[in-house]
Amino acid sequence: MHRAAFVGRERELAALGGLLDTARRGHGSLVLIDGEPGMGKTALANKVVHRAREQGWVTAWGSCHEGEGAPAYWPWIQILHDLDSVGDFFTEQDDGSRFRLFHEMIEVLRRSSMEGLLIVLDDLHWADLVSVRLLLILAAEIAEHRMLVLGLYRRGDLDSHGNEVLSAVARERATSRLTLDGLTRDELERLAETTLESRPEPALMRAVESRSEGNPFYALELLRLVRETGTGGLGLPRDVREAIGRRLDIVSPGTRQLLRVASVLGREFTAGQLAELAGEPVAAVLGLLDEALARDLAVVDGSHTFRFAHALIQEVAYAELPLLDRQWLHQRAAAAFDGDESAIDAFAHHLRQAASLGSALEALTATLRAAARARSQLAYEHAAFQFRQALELWPLLSDPPVAEHELLLDLARCQLRSGAVADAWQSCHAAAELGLATGQAAVVADAATVIRGTSNANANPLCGGIHALCRQALVLLDGADPVRQAKVLAQLVITRDAFAVSGGSSEMSERALCIAEASGDLDARFLALQARQVELVHPRHVLERLSIGER
């Protein structure tokens, strides 16, 4: 990033430098750095990385991508690449233990931190939820390691679930917060002197200060516009997107159009990807990118990966594309990822953006593949996201290959596994409504038995709704499906109000267990055994409860 963008952050750099020294002594910490777009979060992190490398630290950087094309665990995958430790992480997990997966990941980080490890997680507000949950586990252990983690994010761009988990991260003993505010008038003047290579006129500084409100990136865009066009203070744009648009006006038409095409690929892209999408030779693309680099609109990492200098530049370039051109480019971009299962998320994302061009069926199929992959990686939050995207595509198809209630139930199962129980019940309820409307007993029964572990009707408000749905399911089943009947009977016992049970009767759970054992279905048997445990509360049943526990 342009060195001038770092003006005014010396105090924050000194504080983070102190945390590096503390971490080297074996007392690691995590710092959540928040600020509005353009406040210099990434520039500050880059400075800390440079200082850490000078001191012999190992450094790793993981960026979260805006949009829907990144796979689950994406920032951690990048960090493992930096540490040369990818191995078999985040592939299909046979034992279904996410705790073990997280523990092994943290063990890799611990081994890499023997001489000091600095990790930067950029744009955490765009992270998939499972990646933030992994950060929560790391935050609980980091104090014992020679490790410093910087998490950069925009507080206002977090969704409710992300904000909840990040708030839990902030409560850990080794976590601190750092908020970046706007630059002062003196700092803006230093920024102007560095950018313009001369002392700015007072009128210009007043205009920059009032327009930018101290935002370093916005101020820098305004000053670059002045430097490149000679615009006076009175002619400066009033918002940052207009400033970026005016700077894009300066570049050649070919470069501007290329940046628009590149914006479809996201914040980062390679020359090869862009050449294929634009239908131009790589040499011609590199020639046009040289101008973008010279104008500080893009930066290059080594000689392979290009990146928009700021997310707002990509947003402005993308907004300039007509809707039909966007969809056509997304369709072309999808072709580049076709057949690459590791890039199934990007493939599905581009197909969804082009769905109205006739690729809705292909988009749905790819989205379901992405959901299945995320679920096999124990990334249930990401799988739930993919199922929600599939549900949005479903109405676009005249003959969908999968029923809407199946998508809702798959979504509910993933939500339940991720801990979003209330959301899972909403999805179950929506599926049940479809089943009740069409008289499909199996759908209603499945919707009633997705949620597990809700056995206290007085403490858990979901029990009443689940219990009522079980009664409706039993009427519809009418004994025709033994496995589902056993599950629904068991769920009915588990979710009913214990104070409403009279005489200590245990007939319903006993009936559920008999049907389940006769069916041979393990899941039905497990749920029926749970129902027996819930129902046999009297001390005289203690031996049977012990037997059930063993079984």
Side-chain angles (χ1 to χ4, degrees):
M1 181 175 286
H2 196 287
R3 66 184 182 89
F6 188 71
V7 166
R9 300 300 181 201
E10 291 81 3
R11 182 182 57 193
E12 290 87 349
L13 179 60
L16 294 174
L19 290 176
L20 280 175
D21 295 337
T22 303
R24 184 181 287 278
R25 295 193 295 270
H27 305 290
S29 60
L30 187 155
V31 185
L32 296 175
I33 304 174
D34 73 275
E36 295 300 314
M39 281 298 179
K41 301 181 293 294
T42 303
L44 176 61
N46 271 317
K47 283 288 186 179
V48 180
V49 167
H50 181 70
R51 177 173 294 188
R53 287 174 178 169
E54 288 180 337
Q55 297 176 5
W57 282 56
V58 177
T59 65
W61 192 293
S63 296
C64 308
H65 287 186
E66 184 180 17
E68 309 160 3
Y73 306 108
W74 179 239
W76 296 107
I77 291 171
Q78 296 171 77
I79 286 166
L80 288 173
H81 271 292
D82 284 352
L83 300 176
D84 297 323
S85 301
V86 177
D88 295 327
F89 273 94
F90 308 130
T91 56
E92 293 187 11
Q93 303 294 317
D94 295 330
D95 66 0
S97 172
R98 193 154 80 172
F99 180 83
R100 181 192 61 79
L101 173 65
F102 285 6
H103 175 73
E104 291 182 357
M105 171 68 185
I106 292 172
E107 182 62 20
V108 169
L109 300 181
R110 186 194 64 79
R111 290 196 300 268
S112 300
S113 68
M114 295 303 181
E115 298 301 324
L117 172 64
L118 171 64
I119 294 173
V120 178
L121 292 162
D122 200 3
D123 291 326
L124 265 178
H125 49 278
W126 290 328
D128 57 299
L129 191 54
V130 68
S131 290
V132 186
R133 292 193 190 279
L134 177 50
L135 179 62
L136 175 59
I137 302 299
L138 177 59
E141 301 185 18
I142 196 172
E144 312 302 326
H145 306 308
R146 292 185 175 90
M147 195 183 307
L148 176 62
V149 177
L150 306 181
L152 320 180
Y153 72 106
R154 305 178 201 164
R155 190 178 303 179
D157 287 353
L158 285 167
D159 61 23
S160 58
H161 293 303
N163 189 56
E164 180 182 348
V165 179
L166 213 54
S167 295
V169 173
R171 289 193 294 270
E172 291 295 332
R173 61 190 174 98
T175 301
S176 59
R177 288 184 182 270
L178 175 62
T179 299
L180 299 187
D181 297 315
L183 300 182
T184 65
R185 176 65 181 270
D186 289 342
E187 290 167 343
L188 286 172
E189 287 183 353
R190 286 166 49 207
L191 178 65
E193 287 181 16
T194 305
T195 306
L196 302 176
E197 299 180 349
S198 64
R199 189 170 182 82
E201 295 293 330
L204 173 61
M205 283 313 305
R206 286 194 296 270
V208 169
E209 185 178 19
S210 64
R211 299 283 200 276
S212 70
E213 297 181 341
N215 184 296
F217 173 71
Y218 187 13
L220 192 59
E221 288 298 299
L222 294 173
L223 292 167
R224 283 171 174 162
L225 189 61
V226 171
R227 183 186 64 194
E228 294 168 0
T229 66
T231 304
L234 296 178
L236 290 179
R238 292 194 171 274
D239 62 61
V240 66
R241 285 175 172 79
E242 183 187 347
I244 293 171
R246 293 263 290 272
R247 287 228 299 126
L248 287 171
D249 289 339
I250 301 169
V251 301
S252 66
T255 298
R256 186 168 190 167
Q257 179 59 23
L258 188 71
L259 290 173
R260 291 170 181 156
V261 174
S263 70
V264 172
L265 295 170
R267 178 87 184 269
E268 293 184 354
F269 53 90
T270 66
Q273 290 171 335
L274 182 53
E276 185 173 352
L277 183 59
E280 299 287 346
V282 173
V285 165
L286 287 172
L288 293 172
L289 285 175
D290 280 340
E291 184 182 7
L293 295 173
R295 297 288 188 181
D296 295 314
L297 295 168
V299 294
V300 61
D301 179 12
S303 58
H304 303 289
T305 303
F306 293 83
R307 185 174 72 253
F308 283 94
H310 197 277
L312 290 173
I313 299 176
Q314 183 219 346
E315 291 175 17
V316 171
Y318 189 76
E320 289 184 350
L321 283 169
L323 179 59
L324 188 60
D325 288 355
R326 283 188 210 172
Q327 294 176 339
W328 179 78
L329 286 167
H330 278 294
Q331 193 171 59
R332 281 183 59 104
F337 298 103
D338 194 6
D340 183 358
E341 200 61 26
S342 65
I344 184 61
D345 294 86
F347 179 57
H349 161 66
H350 288 298
L351 285 176
R352 286 196 296 269
Q353 299 306 307
S356 62
L357 295 181
S359 59
L361 177 59
E362 191 179 5
L364 178 63
T365 303
T367 299
L368 293 178
R369 281 166 50 203
R373 183 171 186 265
R375 187 159 49 183
S376 72
Q377 296 173 317
L378 314 183
Y380 301 111
E381 298 87 347
H382 195 65
F385 164 78
Q386 296 292 352
F387 281 121
R388 285 194 294 270
Q389 297 300 307
L391 282 164
E392 290 187 12
L393 289 168
W394 195 86
L396 301 179
L397 300 170
S398 57
D399 186 21
V402 59
E404 186 178 10
H405 69 261
E406 290 180 30
L407 295 177
L408 284 165
L409 291 174
D410 279 334
L411 170 60
R413 294 181 185 106
C414 290
Q415 289 170 325
L416 180 68
R417 294 297 297 272
S418 70
V421 182
D423 291 341
W425 170 238
Q426 288 183 3
S427 300
C428 287
H429 188 267
E433 289 291 321
L434 294 174
L436 290 168
T438 55
Q440 297 180 77
V443 176
V444 181
D446 289 345
T449 54
V450 166
I451 308 293
R452 304 291 174 92
T454 53
S455 59
N456 189 340
N458 296 294
N460 195 319
L462 297 184
C463 284
I466 297 172
H467 190 79
L469 189 59
C470 286
R471 291 194 176 280
Q472 291 177 294
L474 280 177
V475 172
L476 289 172
L477 285 170
D478 195 25
D481 188 332
V483 171
R484 287 188 169 92
Q485 185 183 17
K487 290 182 180 180
V488 172
L489 280 170
Q491 186 80 308
L492 195 67
V493 171
I494 292 167
T495 57
R496 72 182 173 185
D497 186 349
F499 294 104
V501 181
S502 60
S505 172
S506 61
E507 294 179 358
M508 190 176 294
S509 63
E510 191 172 9
R511 180 182 166 205
L513 186 55
C514 288
I515 297 173
E517 289 184 328
S519 72
D521 186 271
L522 291 177
D523 190 43
R525 187 182 177 197
F526 179 84
L527 197 58
L529 286 169
Q530 185 186 5
R532 289 293 286 167
Q533 283 278 33
V534 168
E535 198 163 46
L536 300 178
V537 294
H538 197 278
R540 68 174 178 268
H541 298 302
V542 65
L543 293 179
E544 185 176 353
R545 285 173 61 84
L546 288 170
S547 174
I548 290 172
E550 291 175 358
R551 293 166 69 185

